[in-house]
Amino acid sequence: MSTSERFDCHYCKDSLLGKKYIMKEDTQYCTKCYENLFANCCEECSTPIGCNSKDLSYKDRHWHEQCFKCAKCSRSLADKAFAAREDLLLCTECHAIDYSSKCITCKKTILPGGVTYQDKPWHRECFLCTGCKRQLSGQRFTSRENYPYCLECFSNLYAKKCVGCTKPITSLAGAKYISFEERQWHSECFNCMQCSVSLVGRGFLTQRDDILCTECGREK
């Protein structure tokens, strides 16, 4: 470029020779005119985001890098995960404290990875058997009166007991049982009280609380 040629700001016409300038759509502007004409206004401090500042944007809103902060704790959100709530930007910690579910047991905030049972939230480590207090997350369980129980505790506390072995009768693995006069037996326990032959599918007799095969019953 010869000294006779001019290289001026497109807007104010000041010479740009030896000065910093910015190109926009093949047109040159001095930094002052560019900022006045095109710079975005910061949401936080309401001043233009100049050429020497980093412009951070979110959903057509703009901030200086130093102004891009959590609305609650004021920690910088630059290069960090954040969440938006009612036009406010929050760091993940503040968002969790204010808006995440609270554990039914400990009342503390539940971050991703909790347990929901009957529309109520728990931490995985707080979702425990009502009986033995073992963790139920990832385990089979049942409930009684809305209280969760592991299968072992539920069986010991509430399942019907076998007359023969006195152990709980459960429905696990398709287990079968015999019911007679409001008494229950495991199929393998439903035997003659005298000779121990299985009475499943066979006729039997009763003597007081005893059940007997027909052969033993006739001998009585």
Side-chain angles (χ1 to χ4, degrees), residues 103-106 108-116 120-129 133-139:
C103 176
I104 291 297
T105 300
C106 70
K108 295 181 180 179
T109 299
I110 299 176
L111 297 175
V115 175
T116 300
K120 296 177 182 178
W122 277 268
H123 292 110
R124 295 174 71 89
E125 61 271 21
C126 293
F127 188 55
L128 308 176
C129 171
K133 306 305 179 185
R134 284 185 293 185
Q135 187 173 315
L136 294 178
S137 177
Q139 307 296 322

PDB file of all heavy atoms in Angstrom, residues 103-106 108-116 120-129 133-139:
ATOM      1  N   CYS A 103     -33.751 -36.640  49.840  1.00  0.00           N
ATOM      2  CA  CYS A 103     -33.911 -38.029  50.276  1.00  0.00           C
ATOM      3  C   CYS A 103     -34.932 -38.124  51.405  1.00  0.00           C
ATOM      4  O   CYS A 103     -34.875 -37.342  52.368  1.00  0.00           O
ATOM      5  CB  CYS A 103     -32.555 -38.574  50.723  1.00  0.00           C
ATOM      6  SG  CYS A 103     -32.614 -40.248  51.389  1.00  0.00           S
ATOM      7  N   ILE A 104     -35.835 -39.082  51.319  1.00  0.00           N
ATOM      8  CA  ILE A 104     -36.860 -39.287  52.344  1.00  0.00           C
ATOM      9  C   ILE A 104     -36.223 -39.591  53.699  1.00  0.00           C
ATOM     10  O   ILE A 104     -36.710 -39.165  54.736  1.00  0.00           O
ATOM     11  CB  ILE A 104     -37.798 -40.441  51.928  1.00  0.00           C
ATOM     12  CG1 ILE A 104     -38.660 -40.041  50.730  1.00  0.00           C
ATOM     13  CG2 ILE A 104     -38.677 -40.882  53.095  1.00  0.00           C
ATOM     14  CD1 ILE A 104     -39.605 -38.899  50.992  1.00  0.00           C
ATOM     15  N   THR A 105     -35.098 -40.310  53.690  1.00  0.00           N
ATOM     16  CA  THR A 105     -34.472 -40.730  54.942  1.00  0.00           C
ATOM     17  C   THR A 105     -33.613 -39.651  55.568  1.00  0.00           C
ATOM     18  O   THR A 105     -33.814 -39.271  56.717  1.00  0.00           O
ATOM     19  CB  THR A 105     -33.624 -41.993  54.711  1.00  0.00           C
ATOM     20  OG1 THR A 105     -34.467 -43.040  54.231  1.00  0.00           O
ATOM     21  CG2 THR A 105     -32.958 -42.445  56.009  1.00  0.00           C
ATOM     22  N   CYS A 106     -32.632 -39.132  54.811  1.00  0.00           N
ATOM     23  CA  CYS A 106     -31.665 -38.194  55.410  1.00  0.00           C
ATOM     24  C   CYS A 106     -31.954 -36.732  55.102  1.00  0.00           C
ATOM     25  O   CYS A 106     -31.286 -35.844  55.630  1.00  0.00           O
ATOM     26  CB  CYS A 106     -30.248 -38.550  54.958  1.00  0.00           C
ATOM     27  SG  CYS A 106     -29.923 -38.204  53.193  1.00  0.00           S
ATOM     28  N   LYS A 108     -31.237 -34.978  52.633  1.00  0.00           N
ATOM     29  CA  LYS A 108     -30.204 -34.295  51.867  1.00  0.00           C
ATOM     30  C   LYS A 108     -30.479 -34.416  50.372  1.00  0.00           C
ATOM     31  O   LYS A 108     -31.240 -35.284  49.935  1.00  0.00           O
ATOM     32  CB  LYS A 108     -28.832 -34.861  52.209  1.00  0.00           C
ATOM     33  CG  LYS A 108     -28.414 -34.600  53.649  1.00  0.00           C
ATOM     34  CD  LYS A 108     -27.031 -35.174  53.937  1.00  0.00           C
ATOM     35  CE  LYS A 108     -26.610 -34.909  55.378  1.00  0.00           C
ATOM     36  NZ  LYS A 108     -25.284 -35.493  55.681  1.00  0.00           N
ATOM     37  N   THR A 109     -29.837 -33.535  49.592  1.00  0.00           N
ATOM     38  CA  THR A 109     -30.046 -33.498  48.148  1.00  0.00           C
ATOM     39  C   THR A 109     -29.610 -34.800  47.488  1.00  0.00           C
ATOM     40  O   THR A 109     -28.589 -35.378  47.848  1.00  0.00           O
ATOM     41  CB  THR A 109     -29.249 -32.334  47.536  1.00  0.00           C
ATOM     42  OG1 THR A 109     -29.729 -31.112  48.111  1.00  0.00           O
ATOM     43  CG2 THR A 109     -29.428 -32.278  46.032  1.00  0.00           C
ATOM     44  N   ILE A 110     -30.418 -35.241  46.522  1.00  0.00           N
ATOM     45  CA  ILE A 110     -30.094 -36.446  45.763  1.00  0.00           C
ATOM     46  C   ILE A 110     -29.550 -36.031  44.407  1.00  0.00           C
ATOM     47  O   ILE A 110     -30.249 -35.425  43.599  1.00  0.00           O
ATOM     48  CB  ILE A 110     -31.336 -37.341  45.578  1.00  0.00           C
ATOM     49  CG1 ILE A 110     -31.873 -37.790  46.943  1.00  0.00           C
ATOM     50  CG2 ILE A 110     -30.986 -38.554  44.710  1.00  0.00           C
ATOM     51  CD1 ILE A 110     -33.140 -38.602  46.846  1.00  0.00           C
ATOM     52  N   LEU A 111     -28.311 -36.357  44.159  1.00  0.00           N
ATOM     53  CA  LEU A 111     -27.713 -36.144  42.852  1.00  0.00           C
ATOM     54  C   LEU A 111     -28.089 -37.322  41.957  1.00  0.00           C
ATOM     55  O   LEU A 111     -28.645 -38.314  42.426  1.00  0.00           O
ATOM     56  CB  LEU A 111     -26.193 -36.007  42.992  1.00  0.00           C
ATOM     57  CG  LEU A 111     -25.728 -34.805  43.824  1.00  0.00           C
ATOM     58  CD1 LEU A 111     -24.221 -34.827  43.996  1.00  0.00           C
ATOM     59  CD2 LEU A 111     -26.166 -33.499  43.179  1.00  0.00           C
ATOM     60  N   PRO A 112     -27.829 -37.254  40.649  1.00  0.00           N
ATOM     61  CA  PRO A 112     -28.186 -38.365  39.758  1.00  0.00           C
ATOM     62  C   PRO A 112     -27.670 -39.701  40.278  1.00  0.00           C
ATOM     63  O   PRO A 112     -26.549 -39.808  40.757  1.00  0.00           O
ATOM     64  CB  PRO A 112     -27.497 -37.974  38.441  1.00  0.00           C
ATOM     65  CG  PRO A 112     -27.486 -36.481  38.474  1.00  0.00           C
ATOM     66  CD  PRO A 112     -27.247 -36.105  39.914  1.00  0.00           C
ATOM     67  N   GLY A 113     -28.543 -40.723  40.200  1.00  0.00           N
ATOM     68  CA  GLY A 113     -28.159 -42.052  40.670  1.00  0.00           C
ATOM     69  C   GLY A 113     -28.934 -42.502  41.887  1.00  0.00           C
ATOM     70  O   GLY A 113     -28.614 -43.525  42.499  1.00  0.00           O
ATOM     71  N   GLY A 114     -29.979 -41.755  42.265  1.00  0.00           N
ATOM     72  CA  GLY A 114     -30.778 -42.137  43.417  1.00  0.00           C
ATOM     73  C   GLY A 114     -31.810 -43.207  43.069  1.00  0.00           C
ATOM     74  O   GLY A 114     -31.842 -43.747  41.968  1.00  0.00           O
ATOM     75  N   VAL A 115     -32.665 -43.518  44.038  1.00  0.00           N
ATOM     76  CA  VAL A 115     -33.702 -44.546  43.898  1.00  0.00           C
ATOM     77  C   VAL A 115     -35.061 -43.906  44.129  1.00  0.00           C
ATOM     78  O   VAL A 115     -35.222 -43.090  45.041  1.00  0.00           O
ATOM     79  CB  VAL A 115     -33.487 -45.685  44.921  1.00  0.00           C
ATOM     80  CG1 VAL A 115     -34.630 -46.690  44.868  1.00  0.00           C
ATOM     81  CG2 VAL A 115     -32.163 -46.381  44.667  1.00  0.00           C
ATOM     82  N   THR A 116     -36.029 -44.262  43.302  1.00  0.00           N
ATOM     83  CA  THR A 116     -37.408 -43.807  43.505  1.00  0.00           C
ATOM     84  C   THR A 116     -38.291 -45.016  43.763  1.00  0.00           C
ATOM     85  O   THR A 116     -38.275 -45.981  42.998  1.00  0.00           O
ATOM     86  CB  THR A 116     -37.929 -43.037  42.285  1.00  0.00           C
ATOM     87  OG1 THR A 116     -37.114 -41.893  42.056  1.00  0.00           O
ATOM     88  CG2 THR A 116     -39.366 -42.571  42.510  1.00  0.00           C
ATOM     89  N   LYS A 120     -41.336 -41.743  45.824  1.00  0.00           N
ATOM     90  CA  LYS A 120     -40.534 -41.072  46.846  1.00  0.00           C
ATOM     91  C   LYS A 120     -39.051 -41.321  46.566  1.00  0.00           C
ATOM     92  O   LYS A 120     -38.670 -42.423  46.184  1.00  0.00           O
ATOM     93  CB  LYS A 120     -40.903 -41.583  48.237  1.00  0.00           C
ATOM     94  CG  LYS A 120     -42.337 -41.266  48.627  1.00  0.00           C
ATOM     95  CD  LYS A 120     -42.670 -41.854  49.985  1.00  0.00           C
ATOM     96  CE  LYS A 120     -44.128 -41.575  50.355  1.00  0.00           C
ATOM     97  NZ  LYS A 120     -44.491 -42.170  51.662  1.00  0.00           N
ATOM     98  N   PRO A 121     -38.204 -40.293  46.749  1.00  0.00           N
ATOM     99  CA  PRO A 121     -36.780 -40.422  46.406  1.00  0.00           C
ATOM    100  C   PRO A 121     -35.910 -40.820  47.603  1.00  0.00           C
ATOM    101  O   PRO A 121     -36.137 -40.387  48.733  1.00  0.00           O
ATOM    102  CB  PRO A 121     -36.420 -39.019  45.928  1.00  0.00           C
ATOM    103  CG  PRO A 121     -37.311 -38.127  46.749  1.00  0.00           C
ATOM    104  CD  PRO A 121     -38.592 -38.893  47.014  1.00  0.00           C
ATOM    105  N   TRP A 122     -34.917 -41.643  47.336  1.00  0.00           N
ATOM    106  CA  TRP A 122     -33.904 -42.035  48.323  1.00  0.00           C
ATOM    107  C   TRP A 122     -32.515 -41.979  47.679  1.00  0.00           C
ATOM    108  O   TRP A 122     -32.376 -42.200  46.472  1.00  0.00           O
ATOM    109  CB  TRP A 122     -34.104 -43.484  48.780  1.00  0.00           C
ATOM    110  CG  TRP A 122     -35.098 -43.736  49.846  1.00  0.00           C
ATOM    111  CD1 TRP A 122     -34.897 -43.782  51.201  1.00  0.00           C
ATOM    112  CD2 TRP A 122     -36.494 -44.054  49.678  1.00  0.00           C
ATOM    113  NE1 TRP A 122     -36.056 -44.087  51.869  1.00  0.00           N
ATOM    114  CE2 TRP A 122     -37.053 -44.266  50.962  1.00  0.00           C
ATOM    115  CE3 TRP A 122     -37.308 -44.168  48.552  1.00  0.00           C
ATOM    116  CZ2 TRP A 122     -38.390 -44.590  51.143  1.00  0.00           C
ATOM    117  CZ3 TRP A 122     -38.644 -44.486  48.733  1.00  0.00           C
ATOM    118  CH2 TRP A 122     -39.175 -44.689  50.014  1.00  0.00           C
ATOM    119  N   HIS A 123     -31.489 -41.741  48.489  1.00  0.00           N
ATOM    120  CA  HIS A 123     -30.148 -42.099  48.075  1.00  0.00           C
ATOM    121  C   HIS A 123     -30.081 -43.626  48.023  1.00  0.00           C
ATOM    122  O   HIS A 123     -30.765 -44.306  48.796  1.00  0.00           O
ATOM    123  CB  HIS A 123     -29.095 -41.608  49.090  1.00  0.00           C
ATOM    124  CG  HIS A 123     -28.955 -40.127  49.146  1.00  0.00           C
ATOM    125  ND1 HIS A 123     -29.365 -39.384  50.230  1.00  0.00           N
ATOM    126  CD2 HIS A 123     -28.432 -39.247  48.251  1.00  0.00           C
ATOM    127  CE1 HIS A 123     -29.101 -38.105  50.012  1.00  0.00           C
ATOM    128  NE2 HIS A 123     -28.553 -37.991  48.814  1.00  0.00           N
ATOM    129  N   ARG A 124     -29.245 -44.173  47.161  1.00  0.00           N
ATOM    130  CA  ARG A 124     -29.111 -45.629  47.092  1.00  0.00           C
ATOM    131  C   ARG A 124     -28.681 -46.188  48.450  1.00  0.00           C
ATOM    132  O   ARG A 124     -29.170 -47.236  48.876  1.00  0.00           O
ATOM    133  CB  ARG A 124     -28.081 -46.008  46.021  1.00  0.00           C
ATOM    134  CG  ARG A 124     -28.503 -45.620  44.603  1.00  0.00           C
ATOM    135  CD  ARG A 124     -27.393 -45.883  43.618  1.00  0.00           C
ATOM    136  NE  ARG A 124     -27.196 -47.306  43.398  1.00  0.00           N
ATOM    137  CZ  ARG A 124     -27.828 -48.022  42.486  1.00  0.00           C
ATOM    138  NH1 ARG A 124     -28.733 -47.440  41.696  1.00  0.00           N
ATOM    139  NH2 ARG A 124     -27.586 -49.295  42.348  1.00  0.00           N
ATOM    140  N   GLU A 125     -27.786 -45.479  49.130  1.00  0.00           N
ATOM    141  CA  GLU A 125     -27.296 -45.979  50.413  1.00  0.00           C
ATOM    142  C   GLU A 125     -28.305 -45.793  51.543  1.00  0.00           C
ATOM    143  O   GLU A 125     -28.123 -46.351  52.637  1.00  0.00           O
ATOM    144  CB  GLU A 125     -25.974 -45.294  50.784  1.00  0.00           C
ATOM    145  CG  GLU A 125     -26.048 -43.786  50.936  1.00  0.00           C
ATOM    146  CD  GLU A 125     -25.794 -43.046  49.626  1.00  0.00           C
ATOM    147  OE1 GLU A 125     -25.957 -43.660  48.548  1.00  0.00           O
ATOM    148  OE2 GLU A 125     -25.454 -41.856  49.679  1.00  0.00           O
ATOM    149  N   CYS A 126     -29.356 -45.019  51.306  1.00  0.00           N
ATOM    150  CA  CYS A 126     -30.383 -44.803  52.338  1.00  0.00           C
ATOM    151  C   CYS A 126     -31.614 -45.692  52.140  1.00  0.00           C
ATOM    152  O   CYS A 126     -32.487 -45.744  53.023  1.00  0.00           O
ATOM    153  CB  CYS A 126     -30.827 -43.339  52.337  1.00  0.00           C
ATOM    154  SG  CYS A 126     -29.557 -42.162  52.854  1.00  0.00           S
ATOM    155  N   PHE A 127     -31.696 -46.363  51.005  1.00  0.00           N
ATOM    156  CA  PHE A 127     -32.866 -47.204  50.730  1.00  0.00           C
ATOM    157  C   PHE A 127     -32.609 -48.580  51.329  1.00  0.00           C
ATOM    158  O   PHE A 127     -31.993 -49.454  50.717  1.00  0.00           O
ATOM    159  CB  PHE A 127     -33.101 -47.296  49.226  1.00  0.00           C
ATOM    160  CG  PHE A 127     -34.378 -47.981  48.847  1.00  0.00           C
ATOM    161  CD1 PHE A 127     -35.598 -47.551  49.352  1.00  0.00           C
ATOM    162  CD2 PHE A 127     -34.374 -49.066  47.985  1.00  0.00           C
ATOM    163  CE1 PHE A 127     -36.772 -48.181  49.006  1.00  0.00           C
ATOM    164  CE2 PHE A 127     -35.542 -49.706  47.630  1.00  0.00           C
ATOM    165  CZ  PHE A 127     -36.750 -49.263  48.146  1.00  0.00           C
ATOM    166  N   LEU A 128     -33.067 -48.781  52.566  1.00  0.00           N
ATOM    167  CA  LEU A 128     -32.712 -49.952  53.363  1.00  0.00           C
ATOM    168  C   LEU A 128     -33.930 -50.792  53.722  1.00  0.00           C
ATOM    169  O   LEU A 128     -35.066 -50.301  53.756  1.00  0.00           O
ATOM    170  CB  LEU A 128     -32.020 -49.508  54.661  1.00  0.00           C
ATOM    171  CG  LEU A 128     -30.828 -48.553  54.519  1.00  0.00           C
ATOM    172  CD1 LEU A 128     -30.330 -48.150  55.903  1.00  0.00           C
ATOM    173  CD2 LEU A 128     -29.721 -49.173  53.697  1.00  0.00           C
ATOM    174  N   CYS A 129     -33.673 -52.057  53.996  1.00  0.00           N
ATOM    175  CA  CYS A 129     -34.719 -52.951  54.500  1.00  0.00           C
ATOM    176  C   CYS A 129     -35.185 -52.449  55.857  1.00  0.00           C
ATOM    177  O   CYS A 129     -34.370 -52.115  56.729  1.00  0.00           O
ATOM    178  CB  CYS A 129     -34.166 -54.370  54.615  1.00  0.00           C
ATOM    179  SG  CYS A 129     -35.269 -55.529  55.467  1.00  0.00           S
ATOM    180  N   LYS A 133     -31.982 -53.582  57.834  1.00  0.00           N
ATOM    181  CA  LYS A 133     -31.253 -52.368  57.445  1.00  0.00           C
ATOM    182  C   LYS A 133     -30.207 -52.613  56.359  1.00  0.00           C
ATOM    183  O   LYS A 133     -29.351 -51.757  56.140  1.00  0.00           O
ATOM    184  CB  LYS A 133     -30.572 -51.719  58.668  1.00  0.00           C
ATOM    185  CG  LYS A 133     -31.520 -51.434  59.827  1.00  0.00           C
ATOM    186  CD  LYS A 133     -32.702 -50.581  59.402  1.00  0.00           C
ATOM    187  CE  LYS A 133     -33.658 -50.321  60.556  1.00  0.00           C
ATOM    188  NZ  LYS A 133     -34.868 -49.583  60.116  1.00  0.00           N
ATOM    189  N   ARG A 134     -30.292 -53.724  55.653  1.00  0.00           N
ATOM    190  CA  ARG A 134     -29.401 -53.928  54.518  1.00  0.00           C
ATOM    191  C   ARG A 134     -29.866 -53.084  53.337  1.00  0.00           C
ATOM    192  O   ARG A 134     -31.059 -52.844  53.162  1.00  0.00           O
ATOM    193  CB  ARG A 134     -29.359 -55.409  54.119  1.00  0.00           C
ATOM    194  CG  ARG A 134     -28.531 -56.273  55.055  1.00  0.00           C
ATOM    195  CD  ARG A 134     -28.416 -57.688  54.545  1.00  0.00           C
ATOM    196  NE  ARG A 134     -29.711 -58.363  54.568  1.00  0.00           N
ATOM    197  CZ  ARG A 134     -29.901 -59.642  54.267  1.00  0.00           C
ATOM    198  NH1 ARG A 134     -28.873 -60.383  53.901  1.00  0.00           N
ATOM    199  NH2 ARG A 134     -31.101 -60.187  54.319  1.00  0.00           N
ATOM    200  N   GLN A 135     -28.908 -52.658  52.502  1.00  0.00           N
ATOM    201  CA  GLN A 135     -29.237 -51.837  51.339  1.00  0.00           C
ATOM    202  C   GLN A 135     -30.045 -52.648  50.338  1.00  0.00           C
ATOM    203  O   GLN A 135     -29.708 -53.790  50.015  1.00  0.00           O
ATOM    204  CB  GLN A 135     -27.953 -51.327  50.691  1.00  0.00           C
ATOM    205  CG  GLN A 135     -28.196 -50.325  49.573  1.00  0.00           C
ATOM    206  CD  GLN A 135     -26.904 -49.704  49.076  1.00  0.00           C
ATOM    207  OE1 GLN A 135     -26.063 -49.312  49.885  1.00  0.00           O
ATOM    208  NE2 GLN A 135     -26.719 -49.630  47.784  1.00  0.00           N
ATOM    209  N   LEU A 136     -31.140 -52.052  49.836  1.00  0.00           N
ATOM    210  CA  LEU A 136     -32.036 -52.758  48.926  1.00  0.00           C
ATOM    211  C   LEU A 136     -31.798 -52.403  47.461  1.00  0.00           C
ATOM    212  O   LEU A 136     -32.328 -53.078  46.576  1.00  0.00           O
ATOM    213  CB  LEU A 136     -33.497 -52.440  49.277  1.00  0.00           C
ATOM    214  CG  LEU A 136     -33.992 -52.956  50.625  1.00  0.00           C
ATOM    215  CD1 LEU A 136     -35.435 -52.514  50.851  1.00  0.00           C
ATOM    216  CD2 LEU A 136     -33.894 -54.467  50.707  1.00  0.00           C
ATOM    217  N   SER A 137     -31.028 -51.349  47.202  1.00  0.00           N
ATOM    218  CA  SER A 137     -30.800 -50.940  45.815  1.00  0.00           C
ATOM    219  C   SER A 137     -30.142 -52.073  45.039  1.00  0.00           C
ATOM    220  O   SER A 137     -29.127 -52.625  45.447  1.00  0.00           O
ATOM    221  CB  SER A 137     -29.907 -49.704  45.787  1.00  0.00           C
ATOM    222  OG  SER A 137     -29.624 -49.326  44.460  1.00  0.00           O
ATOM    223  N   GLY A 138     -30.766 -52.444  43.922  1.00  0.00           N
ATOM    224  CA  GLY A 138     -30.240 -53.517  43.094  1.00  0.00           C
ATOM    225  C   GLY A 138     -30.638 -54.901  43.562  1.00  0.00           C
ATOM    226  O   GLY A 138     -30.237 -55.908  42.962  1.00  0.00           O
ATOM    227  N   GLN A 139     -31.419 -54.990  44.664  1.00  0.00           N
ATOM    228  CA  GLN A 139     -31.844 -56.284  45.201  1.00  0.00           C
ATOM    229  C   GLN A 139     -33.354 -56.446  45.045  1.00  0.00           C
ATOM    230  O   GLN A 139     -34.095 -55.469  44.953  1.00  0.00           O
ATOM    231  CB  GLN A 139     -31.489 -56.377  46.696  1.00  0.00           C
ATOM    232  CG  GLN A 139     -30.046 -56.077  47.024  1.00  0.00           C
ATOM    233  CD  GLN A 139     -29.099 -57.079  46.419  1.00  0.00           C
ATOM    234  OE1 GLN A 139     -29.399 -58.274  46.364  1.00  0.00           O
ATOM    235  NE2 GLN A 139     -27.950 -56.609  45.950  1.00  0.00           N
TER     236      GLN A 139
END
